[in-house]
Amino acid sequence: MADRPLSINTKGQRREAEELGAYDLIRHYEDVFSARFRWLNGPKGMPIDWPERMIFRFGLLGTAEAFGSMQLAGGTPGLEGIYGEPLDWFPKCEGASIPDGWLQAHEGPTVHIPNVPQDEIEPLCELMADAWRCMKTNIMGMSQPVIIQGTVGAELNVKECGQAVDGYKPRIFTLDRASMDAKALDLGAKDHTESLIKTINDIDCEILARFGIKSAGTEKASGVSPEETLSIAQELRLRLERDLEIRRRFCAEVQDVLPGLRVEPAPGLMDDPDAAKTESDKEADDNEE
């Protein structure tokens, strides 16, 4: 018997690939995180979101020489100072080959976030993935499966019939119950999809808040007061301003090795949402309150 080709997945592997797991959600939020700030005038060929992806994955960004030029690289801290700042750090390599000298500790300015964003949101992404799986199971449970009862070895004839209706051919299965019984089993499943969707939305709102991104839709649905809304907006604004200041300070400190490097927020990221509202929008919000 010939071995199964490696390019053909088994049924179990295909089913596992169809599941939305925590890893898929982490990669989604990495895209969101890396879109907040744009790095300009970096090393040749560097994507504008590459530094943010390194910060998201490792919580540290620094400069390291590779292949004859200075590069921006993610890494892990080594020795720490009295304020928790890294006195030295070790670059991380995403490629197959490690550049010369990257196994030794490096010194110099860094963007350092003690709470690594990827590690911080991983438990939340696992909860969200569980909620998605529960919702899929709940929907399947609300269907009416057919259970067949009878003696072992008995035969049951299944007939398939179809009729063309506007180009669509529905498939209808009929059971010949001459020799055994067949009936529909009601699992008594209750509809929990609404609460599961709310759980997913709440987790999404929490993750975005940790990135400094306001989720207005979830906020309105939660029925918070205007004072709480103002407090949330101030909190997110302070977080974004702090993150931007850390990055701009790093750019200023590495101008000798990467001249012209700068970072800017994504368009509209730090705009005041109330300033962009028209008078009619504000009146509508007042009426809702």
Side-chain angles (χ1 to χ4, degrees), residues 16 21 35 48 63 76 91 96 107 118 126 131 135 183 215 225 238:
E16 183 179 357
I48 59 176
T63 57
T76 56
E107 297 180 355
Q118 178 171 274
E126 291 176 352
M135 187 161 63
K183 69 178 183 178
S215 180
S225 65
L238 289 173

Side-chain angles (χ1 to χ4, degrees), residues 208-225:
L208 294 179
R210 298 190 182 197
F211 294 169
I213 300 175
K214 184 177 181 180
S215 180
T218 306
E219 183 180 300
K220 276 191 174 182
S222 63
V224 297
S225 65

